Each structure stands twice: as structure tokens, then as C-alpha cells.
Amino acid sequence: MAEVASRGKFGPYGGQFVPETLMPALLELEAAYEDARADPRFEAELDDYNRHYGGRPTPLYFARRLTEACGGARIYLKREDLCHGGAHKFNNVMGQALLARRMGKPRMIAETGAGQHGVAAAMAGAVLGIPTEVYMGSVDVKRQALNVFRMRLLGTQVHAVDGGSQTLKDAINEALRDWVTNVTMTYYCIGSVVGPHPYPTIVRDFQSVIGREIKDQAREQMGRLPDLLVACVGGGSNSMGTFAPFLEDTAVELLGAEAGGEGIETGRHAATLVAGRPGVLHGARSYLLQDEDGQIADTFSVSAGLDYPGVGPQLAYLKDTKRASFTAVTDAQALEAFHTLATLEGILPALESAHAVFAAMQRAREMDRDQVVVATLSGRGDKDVQTVARSMGVEL
């Protein structure tokens, strides 16, 4: 199925719903990105950092014991948890940081939820010598204290955001306020496929290295493409990075796992595509979680990285066109998958990734043994050990 995208629009989604003061910056960014992508030197430098600093390519790992336990399709894990910094976020951040340097921006800002994008921004800022500041909701600062400390060790200033729900939505709000105020000298490094054009395209393109590698590795290891790809969905960077290279391969099913929190029926969740409706947030039109008056609803998830009331506009388009489907995975189910992967495969997944693992396990049980499921393990779970411990009644 061919995708319709023009000037940042995916069907009715995307666009640039921003103050006039930001339009020159977005036009400058779009021109700089197009110029960079056409420059072989930019591509070569990014590839060099990806390989020799970021640890790419990441393995496509056959989870033998997990497959045996599920009793259906073979389950493979795309090991983005083995990227430098412990998550897929490096793929996008390194590209944007090189773009910031190319544009002559002396300062970089970012938002973060689980802290993995913030850590990646801190790493890139350090290695390229770009002073970096990160906005993070106060709730997330507390539940992701390890990543906050990591950012500070890397020389990045972390701003705790006390307004609103004190989570990712509010961190993005503050980062946008900063950017509006300091737009000439500041590069805003967005962490997901959200925000105004050209950000959803830029982030998708840099993250598509995930799906391209899956394609090559699947052909090499299995002699064919997978039957099903699964990725967790918050804003949508790892899922779009996984899905994008397969959009024309219609025999490959695409499944996104959203944060079901305490259950859709409770209202305490972050399952935007499962339970939301279209609206405008953070500069783009997409699916949002809203109340009856159109006000952005509070979200809830055990995973800070999925705790967001919006989603990337391209994912909204993929939902409407039925090229991808989406399911809600509850906190309890994600924790179940976390423990299962830990005890069967010796891997601690990020709680965000555990949502995808659960969805992959569930679907694999329904599939034939000669079929293949690939789940993107977007990050490692070191950052979530305290949260998991508390869920078990243990204080570390």
C-alpha cells in the first residue's frame, strides 16, 4: 500500500500547527535536513558514528526458550537494547546532533520521558561538544532517577518540569517554550515521530535503520521476511523505525503495542490509537487522548516512555488505512513479559519494550510453528529495576 505524504502530511494527519515565530526555524530545519540527506559526507559520518560509537548493527536474536514456552511461531528479538546508551534513541539523536552542528546551532535542547532520549542527547552533545539541556517531568525524574544521574554525569543540565501531569507531555511543552524563546541559537532535538513537520519525517528516517537491518538479517537468517513485526508505541519512534521499511511489503503484518495501564475501561492508560480520537497537540494533527471538551487527558502507565497522550501522525494514518493494527497491553501484562523474558532468556527489557514482548508472545501462540514474529526490543530494563522491585513489594 503506497503512502500519501506531502509536506509533512500523512492523509489528514501531521502538518505545522505552531506559532509564527517558529515557522522560519522549521523551514530552515527542513532545508538543512534535505541538504544533509543529499550529502554523502553526512551519511558517511552518521554511519561511522552508528557503527563505531553506537554499536550498530544490533543483532536479530532467536529467542529459543521464549518460543518454546509460547508454543507457536518463532520469536526473534531486534536487540536495540544493545545500542550505546541502552536504547534505540541513539539512532535518531546522533543524526539530529550532526544536523545541529551542520546548521551552526551552539546549543541543543531535548525532552525525555523514560530518560533514554535524554541520555542519548547527553551522549551526542558530549561527543560533539554541543552544550545540551533536557526537560523532564518531575514524576519521571523520580521514577527514572538513574537516567537523570546518567545525563548529569555526561554534562547535561536536567530541568524538572512541575506543571501539569509532570510527565512527557509537559516536558515537551517546556522544551517548546524554550525553543520559541531561543530559536535562533538553539536546536530542538525531538525524541519521537511527533511534533510539527519536518520532525516526524526526520525521526522516522533516522530510526528506519532498525527496519532496514531487520530486513537484511531476516533474509540472511531465515531466507525470507517475517510474518509479523511488533513494537511498542508511545510517541512512536521505535515502531515507525521498525515498520517504515516494510510498508510496501503487505504480506508482513505490523502490530503496535500501546500502554493499557490499569485497563482501557478505567481511563488510566496511555493507549492513544486504541482509545483516542483526532486532534492537535504539539504542532501536529494526530490521534489524542481527550476529554469530552477536547482537553488533553491525563495518562497513566508503569512505563514512563509510553506515558504520552498523543502519537506520531504517520502511525495515525497507518491505523486509519489498516496497514498497521494496535493493541493495548496493561501494566500487569507488561510486568509479566518482563519477568518471562528475564527468566527464560536472561534479558531485562525496558518496561516500554515489555509491552511489545507481551503482544508478541500472545500473537505467537496463535500462529503456526513455521511462522516468524520479530519484536523490537527498544531498550534495556536497568532503568526500570526499582519500578519492578516496587511492583513486587521489594524496596531496593
Side-chain angles (χ1 to χ4, degrees):
M1 179 202 65
E3 180 185 353
V4 179
S6 174
R7 288 278 305 153
K9 295 298 289 292
F10 304 96
Y13 305 110
Q16 294 172 312
F17 296 83
V18 297
E20 288 184 13
T21 52
L22 284 183
M23 283 306 299
L26 291 172
L27 293 172
E28 178 192 20
L29 174 60
E30 183 179 12
Y33 175 65
E34 293 303 323
D35 182 67
R37 294 296 278 184
D39 185 350
R41 294 169 299 177
F42 179 86
E43 289 291 328
E45 186 174 17
L46 176 58
D47 183 67
D48 186 69
Y49 273 109
N50 277 339
R51 290 178 180 275
H52 301 120
Y53 186 70
R56 303 212 71 86
T58 59
L60 183 64
Y61 167 71
F62 176 47
R64 179 180 59 82
R65 296 195 67 218
L66 184 65
T67 296
E68 291 172 353
C70 292
R74 288 175 286 159
I75 301 173
Y76 286 76
L77 304 175
K78 180 56 173 166
R79 296 292 307 277
E80 292 300 293
D81 58 311
L82 298 181
C83 276
H84 181 37
H88 72 292
K89 293 295 186 180
F90 174 83
N91 307 327
N92 162 54
V93 168
M94 199 66 230
Q96 286 202 63
L98 289 171
L99 190 58
R101 189 187 66 183
R102 184 184 180 95
M103 294 172 69
K105 301 293 184 180
R107 174 177 179 258
M108 187 164 68
I109 60 172
E111 85 295 329
T112 196
Q116 291 302 122
H117 176 60
V119 168
M123 293 187 311
V127 77
L128 295 183
I130 303 174
T132 302
E133 299 177 36
V134 171
Y135 289 89
M136 189 173 190
S138 296
V139 168
D140 294 336
V141 166
K142 292 175 183 176
R143 61 179 169 178
Q144 298 294 340
L146 174 62
N147 274 344
V148 173
F149 189 57
R150 291 171 74 196
M151 284 183 263
R152 289 172 173 156
L153 286 175
L154 292 163
T156 285
Q157 184 177 359
V158 181
H159 300 284
V161 178
D162 294 322
S165 60
Q166 303 176 16
T167 55
L168 181 57
K169 168 179 67 73
D170 311 290
I172 294 176
N173 288 342
E174 287 305 311
L176 284 169
R177 289 189 184 101
D178 184 321
W179 195 31
V180 169
T181 305
N182 304 289
V183 67
T184 304
M185 306 297 287
T186 298
Y187 184 93
Y188 180 17
C189 182
I190 285 185
S192 196
V193 287
V194 298
H197 176 69
Y199 279 111
T201 298
I202 290 174
V203 178
R204 177 203 64 197
D205 288 352
F206 286 139
Q207 288 292 1
S208 289
V209 66
I210 301 171
R212 292 196 303 271
E213 287 183 6
I214 291 173
K215 263 193 171 183
D216 292 342
Q217 292 165 330
R219 285 172 172 147
E220 180 182 345
Q221 295 173 221
M222 313 161 205
R224 65 181 185 87
L225 297 182
D227 297 285
L228 172 67
L229 296 175
V230 187
C232 65
V233 180
S237 61
N238 94 94
S239 54
M240 274 314 311
T242 299
F243 297 164
F246 290 87
L247 292 180
E248 301 298 329
D249 300 296
T250 54
V252 180
E253 186 181 351
L254 311 176
L255 176 63
E258 292 194 298
E262 295 181 351
I264 299 298
E265 69 284 353
T266 70
R268 287 173 57 80
H269 61 83
T272 308
L273 289 165
V274 171
R277 54 192 171 89
V280 174
L281 177 66
H282 295 145
R285 179 176 173 81
S286 187
Y287 274 77
L288 310 178
L289 292 174
Q290 317 168 57
D291 64 18
E292 292 181 357
D293 298 320
Q295 297 299 307
I296 301 302
D298 288 339
T299 54
F300 180 86
S301 174
V302 71
S303 57
L306 303 185
D307 201 356
Y308 181 61
V311 71
Q314 189 170 7
L315 287 162
Y317 178 76
L318 295 179
K319 170 188 167 69
D320 281 6
T321 57
K322 296 181 170 50
R323 178 61 188 94
S325 58
F326 300 89
T327 187
V329 174
T330 67
D331 288 354
Q333 291 168 334
L335 287 163
E336 176 190 331
F338 179 98
H339 290 291
T340 300
L341 196 62
T343 56
L344 291 182
E345 297 290 350
I347 298 171
L348 298 180
L351 284 173
E352 292 79 14
S353 310
H355 288 69
V357 173
F358 182 87
M361 291 165 53
Q362 193 173 44
R363 285 296 306 277
R365 294 186 182 104
E366 303 167 357
M367 297 167 67
D368 295 335
R369 291 179 182 271
D370 62 348
Q371 292 185 291
V372 173
V373 175
V374 172
T376 295
L377 203 66
S378 57
R380 68 175 183 238
D382 308 47
K383 67 182 180 62
D384 295 316
V385 167
Q386 285 186 316
T387 300
V388 173
R390 283 195 293 272
S391 76
M392 300 168 66
V394 176
E395 285 297 328
L396 299 181

